[in-house]
Amino acid sequence: MPLIQLREIIDGPAPVPAFNVIQVEHAEAIAAAADETGASVVLQISENAVRYHGSLKPIGAATLSVAAAARAPIAVHLDHATSEDLVREAVRLGFGSVMFDASALAHEENVARTAEVVRECHEAGVAVEAELGEIGGKDGVHAPGVRTDPRDAAAYVAATGVDLLAVAVGSSHAMLTRDAELDFELISLLHRAVPVPLVLHGSSGVADESLAAAVRAGMRKINIATQLNKHFTASVRTVLDEQPSLVDPRRYLGAGREAMSAEVARLIRVLEG
């Protein structure tokens, strides 16, 4: 089916699962799970993944192609971009939404640069996600104490015009355990105070029941990456351990793709309740 845009599904009745793509097998696994469940999902590519590939175009074009070939409605999104040039490249390639992450900057610079990105992207019909209250874990450090203030969040949205806002409510990026303690009361307060959809980053560190509770409290877009990589890598390790003479990457990457797809489908069902 034709590509959809994030803004077409973010205001719908169901939460929007957003899964990170590192290589084409990731995109294929996620699309297969979306086809299986019939859910609308987001394939998103981070600046770190772009750096790994050397540029956005190869993995971006492949991901757009996988999304367009799927039966389920799939949007393609740029995740955690700190460079305006990378945002512009994603827009040129046909991404329907981007996340511009200026959360590490001083507040005034964050607002100014984000507002300019919003202006440019809206002229191109592209939605913009941003972040306020830097979410821990990007450097591998679990920082559960970071929180976003609802009044600050509402003021930030008004000043920048962003379409979605990632908020810090107790999750952390790159967690290998699923024991993050979310602040559900804060999520509810943010949901009432902020006039745009809220995004939960670091969702791989959140247990199933807490993910479902976060959706009920007001989270709309749920970003998941590390949890998928855990399943992919575990499957690859099993195949290589069982077949030490195996050299055909299709055999072990294919197993990883199947394991990831099964976990994506499971997580979609968890989020849908």
Side-chain angles (χ1 to χ4, degrees):
M1 76 179 335
L3 282 171
I4 61 167
Q5 295 206 7
L6 177 57
R7 55 165 49 109
E8 295 178 55
I9 56 175
I10 197 65
D11 293 322
V16 178
F19 300 107
N20 279 66
V21 170
I22 297 176
Q23 55 196 33
V24 68
E25 284 83 3
H26 286 64
E28 292 167 343
I30 298 160
D35 283 346
E36 176 188 337
T37 61
S40 301
V41 305
V42 179
L43 296 177
Q44 55 187 29
I45 301 171
S46 72
E47 186 171 272
N48 285 337
V50 172
R51 191 175 298 115
Y52 168 75
H53 287 284
S55 67
L56 176 59
K57 188 172 182 179
I59 188 63
T63 300
L64 287 163
S65 179
V66 169
R71 297 187 304 276
I74 297 179
V76 179
H77 175 79
L78 179 67
D79 186 38
H80 277 295
T82 61
S83 160
E84 287 91 342
D85 286 342
L86 182 57
V87 167
R88 295 181 186 112
E89 183 180 2
V91 171
R92 288 195 299 270
L93 281 173
F95 285 42
S97 55
V98 302
M99 181 201 178
F100 182 65
D101 183 0
S103 62
L105 302 177
H107 181 72
E108 294 76 11
E109 187 177 0
N110 180 340
V111 169
R113 288 178 61 179
T114 302
E116 179 58 23
V117 167
V118 168
R119 185 191 65 77
E120 289 188 31
C121 286
H122 283 184
E123 287 180 357
V126 171
V128 179
E129 174 186 334
E131 180 176 311
L132 185 67
E134 187 174 3
I135 296 160
K138 289 179 209 171
D139 56 358
V141 177
H142 181 26
V146 179
R147 295 289 187 272
T148 300
D149 181 271
R151 290 168 297 182
D152 292 344
Y156 180 83
V157 170
T160 60
V162 295
D163 303 281
L164 304 93
L165 187 67
V167 290
V169 293
S171 59
S172 183
H173 293 92
M175 284 184 66
L176 297 178
T177 58
R178 303 187 72 203
D179 53 2
E181 296 185 8
L182 299 184
D183 188 333
F184 299 110
E185 182 179 358
L186 177 58
I187 294 172
S188 295
L189 290 172
L190 286 162
H191 177 58
R192 291 196 292 270
V194 177
V196 298
L198 301 177
V199 184
L200 182 65
H201 284 224
S203 303
S204 292
V206 181
D208 288 353
E209 58 271 20
S210 292
L211 286 176
V215 169
R216 291 194 297 270
M219 284 292 179
R220 292 292 304 137
K221 178 172 175 274
I222 310 297
N223 286 14
I224 302 174
T226 302
Q227 178 69 4
L228 307 187
N229 294 333
K230 284 165 56 180
H231 282 258
F232 188 102
T233 303
S235 180
V236 169
R237 283 197 178 109
T238 297
V239 171
L240 292 177
D241 285 345
E242 293 175 349
Q243 304 177 61
S245 63
L246 182 64
V247 296
D248 186 344
R250 291 170 295 186
R251 300 279 297 280
Y252 54 83
L253 292 179
R257 181 175 59 190
E258 291 179 8
M260 176 184 279
S261 188
E263 180 62 5
V264 169
R266 191 191 72 80
L267 287 166
I268 287 171
R269 295 184 178 103
V270 166
L271 294 172
E272 291 181 341

